[in-house]
Amino acid sequence: MIKIDTTKASSFVDAALITRREKELVNLHSLLVNKTGKGNDFLGWVDLPASLDPAIVGRIKADAERIGKKSQLLVVIGIGGSYLGSRAVIDALAQPFSSLLKEKKFPFVVYAGENLSEDYHSGLLDLLDQYDYSVAVISKSGTTTEPAVAFRLIKSHMEKKYGKKEAADRIIAVTDAQRGALKNLAGKEGYSTYVIPDDVGGRYSVLTPVGLLPIAVAGFDIEKLLQGARDMRETCLASTDPEKNPAIKYAAIRNALYQNGKSVEIMVNYQPNLFYLAEWWKQLYGESEGKENKGIFPAGVGFTTDLHSMGQYIQEGVRMLFETTISVKNPGRELKVPFLQGDPDGLNFLEGRRLDEINHMAELGTLLAHVDGGVPNIRIEIEKLDEYTLGQLIYFFEFACALSGYLLGVNPFDQPGVEAYKKNMFALIGKPGFEEEGKRLREKLN
Ligand code: PA5
């Protein structure tokens, strides 16, 4: 079970405020569980780990095996919630240099359509010339520009390389049940398809085929991931006591800190393979909370790397920050500092000690220094990095995020602000129907 320690954060706020927030959360918890709060038509994720049809899991595993037999690479095409969850889990579990290892048991996963860079996608096409690959194209709406453009590029590369029939056999589409261009195209071309349930939004969709398919192709155990999420769901639903429900504890303290002027939350990790977990978390919290001129700004750092860059600001910059540290108790591997004759670097006092021990001391030393510098710390400790624990973490963060949004009084399941850039981009690239807007914007740019 994950452990959450708020003692180094609670001293920064009035205890009565935390208690008030915890009391409000009892009511908000029931809105969430009974599906009577804001955005209640997007609460499918609450029951997902329990309600997911085992036949879908079986199909995903079979497809993963099929892809694994004929592909060295899987290209995941998607943006935002349609790729961040799978990338978070795959990166957290993979050998950090797996792309360069000579012997590979599973396809290596690469990503497309999460940016519009010409250099990035040209480079990817160069790679696809050299390897056998399959594609998972993922878009709930089926109309998002970035993945749609990337899919065009890759589909045409694939059809040239393999021919239309074999290409169709190598493409899997994950999309809405009814609507969208991708759904229509998949039907027309005969791609294998998976459905993203109507009541699950992009950033809450990692435990649907959106996340599960790429994770399974990369060789990880999706049943254990789901089991972790299922167990955390039970914990989150069973009680509103903050000592029994970590999501209540986390939502209450972060909101109390926000009320006290701590408007930036930094997710801290000490394992580079958690970089994308922080990216996923940033999207989940940023898109869910940042609206109506409210919300904590989610940021991420990787220590000890960023102690040599952002560490200075965190220690002594504007005091608007708090940190949430993900602490991994037991790493998967063991590495000890060797003895060096003559002790030329003065490090023989570390001989025989694990690198992880030094990492943990860096973590504790940093935590105390930052708290002393006025940066509250919430510490989330996990036993180890495996599928089960990641499943727990995912559900915990989703549940706490929904509660946090409700505490702020916003709808945590919509993202109206994302439309503004899209409208301007469509106008500037000349999408039919946006001509007037295009003229107006070009005048502004001159
Ligand atoms: O959380 C969300 O809903 C968004 O971030 C979406 O995941 C993102 O915009 C991609 O949308 P789609 O899957 O429709 O292409």
Side-chain angles (χ1 to χ4, degrees):
M1 197 43 83
I2 67 170
K3 281 196 206 140
I4 173 158
D5 179 0
T6 58
T7 51
K8 300 281 187 293
S10 46
S11 54
F12 286 83
V13 289
D14 187 0
L17 176 60
I18 304 177
T19 312
R20 268 207 308 282
R21 291 293 171 265
E22 288 171 352
K23 282 203 179 121
E24 284 166 45
L25 281 164
V26 173
N27 188 30
L28 300 175
H29 181 272
S30 83
L31 290 186
L32 190 58
V33 174
N34 298 324
K35 302 192 170 43
T36 47
K38 284 189 183 173
N40 60 6
D41 42 350
F42 276 98
L43 289 178
W45 59 271
V46 174
D47 299 323
L48 203 53
S51 64
L52 190 69
D53 183 353
I56 294 183
V57 177
R59 232 191 100 202
I60 290 174
K61 284 166 66 178
D63 266 334
E65 205 182 316
R66 181 174 65 82
I67 289 172
K69 282 195 183 127
K70 58 171 156 186
S71 301
Q72 297 156 291
L73 298 177
L74 173 73
V75 188
V76 171
I77 304 178
I79 195 166
S82 286
Y83 94 103
L84 279 166
S86 61
R87 187 154 199 185
V89 173
I90 291 167
D91 281 23
L93 297 174
Q95 210 279 8
F97 302 99
S98 50
S99 64
L100 296 172
L101 286 178
K102 288 201 172 131
E103 284 193 14
K104 295 187 193 69
K105 273 171 67 190
F106 299 98
F108 184 73
V109 180
V110 294
Y111 301 86
E114 38 29 306
N115 67 70
L116 285 167
S117 160
E118 191 159 340
D119 284 344
Y120 180 91
H121 287 91
S122 304
L124 179 62
L125 293 176
D126 292 344
L127 186 76
L128 300 183
D129 284 340
Q130 296 181 10
Y131 290 93
D132 276 317
Y133 68 98
S134 295
V135 164
V137 53
I138 306 173
S139 176
K140 177 152 194 218
S141 62
T143 52
T144 309
T145 309
E146 293 90 333
V149 170
F151 184 53
R152 258 197 187 215
L153 292 168
I154 292 168
K155 177 179 185 300
S156 94
H157 181 278
M158 216 177 196
E159 288 176 356
K160 269 190 214 115
K161 180 165 175 157
Y162 295 109
K164 230 171 149 17
K165 192 170 168 293
E166 174 61 14
D169 205 49
R170 288 173 177 268
I171 295 172
I172 299 179
V174 185
T175 188
D176 184 87
Q178 319 287 347
R179 294 163 284 130
L182 182 58
K183 173 79 198 160
N184 298 338
L185 187 66
K188 200 174 119 234
E189 306 272 348
Y191 305 151
S192 169
T193 55
Y194 288 90
V195 166
I196 310 172
D198 276 351
D199 55 359
V200 179
R203 59 192 175 275
Y204 293 84
S205 70
V206 49
L207 301 173
T208 70
V210 169
L212 297 177
L213 177 69
I215 293 167
V217 172
F220 301 110
D221 190 334
I222 54 173
E223 292 190 271
K224 286 198 182 131
L225 186 83
L226 288 165
Q227 189 56 47
R230 227 173 271 137
D231 289 352
M232 182 53 77
R233 174 179 174 271
E234 277 181 22
T235 302
C236 287
L237 294 192
S239 171
T240 51
D241 176 349
E243 291 318 311
K244 295 192 183 135
N245 184 339
I248 298 266
K249 196 169 185 173
Y250 179 54
I253 186 72
R254 62 194 293 285
N255 186 278
L257 290 166
Y258 176 64
Q259 297 305 318
N260 277 270
K262 304 294 186 189
S263 54
V264 177
E265 178 176 10
I266 308 176
M267 174 168 280
V268 177
N269 71 69
Y270 285 80
Q271 314 285 342
N273 52 350
L274 290 182
F275 178 85
Y276 268 95
L277 184 74
E279 293 301 297
W280 170 80
W281 168 87
K282 275 161 62 181
Q283 190 222 355
L284 180 62
Y285 280 74
E287 238 177 10
S288 299
E289 288 190 300
K291 48 198 75 158
E292 299 174 28
N293 299 326
K294 293 190 268 193
I296 297 171
F297 183 86
V301 290
F303 290 164
T304 61
T305 316
D306 290 333
L307 286 172
H308 298 260
S309 62
M310 299 306 288
Q312 171 59 38
Y313 190 104
I314 296 170
Q315 190 69 47
E316 295 182 346
V318 182
R319 303 298 69 193
M320 58 182 175
L321 314 170
F322 68 98
E323 292 182 322
T324 296
T325 303
I326 304 286
S327 179
V328 183
K329 202 164 164 203
N330 297 306
R333 308 279 293 269
E334 198 175 300
L335 200 58
K336 289 184 176 163
V337 178
F339 174 78
L340 202 58
Q341 196 64 45
D343 199 14
D345 51 9
L347 288 181
N348 271 354
F349 77 99
L350 289 175
E351 189 230 327
R353 287 164 67 186
R354 289 180 64 180
L355 201 54
D356 189 58
E357 185 193 338
I358 307 172
N359 203 20
H360 265 109
M361 292 310 121
E363 177 188 323
L364 296 178
T366 304
L367 190 157
L368 293 176
H370 288 180
V371 169
D372 284 345
V375 179
N377 186 281
I378 302 169
R379 190 161 179 268
I380 297 175
E381 187 186 81
I382 57 174
E383 209 44 47
K384 55 185 171 181
L385 268 180
D386 60 8
E387 289 91 335
Y388 180 80
T389 314
L390 285 166
Q392 284 195 323
L393 264 186
I394 286 168
Y395 194 88
F396 156 73
F397 277 127
E398 288 180 349
F399 202 86
C401 182
L403 290 176
S404 298
Y406 281 175
L407 257 187
L408 277 178
V410 301
N411 175 356
F413 311 111
D414 66 2
Q415 52 284 330
V418 179
E419 294 312 309
Y421 102 87
K422 285 189 189 166
K423 202 162 73 115
N424 284 359
M425 178 176 77
F426 292 155
L428 290 171
I429 58 179
K431 186 169 175 171
F434 289 80
E435 294 78 3
E436 276 310 304
E437 193 58 14
K439 234 167 75 196
R440 201 179 63 78
L441 291 182
R442 270 186 287 278
E443 272 163 23
K444 267 192 168 180
L445 288 172
N446 288 330

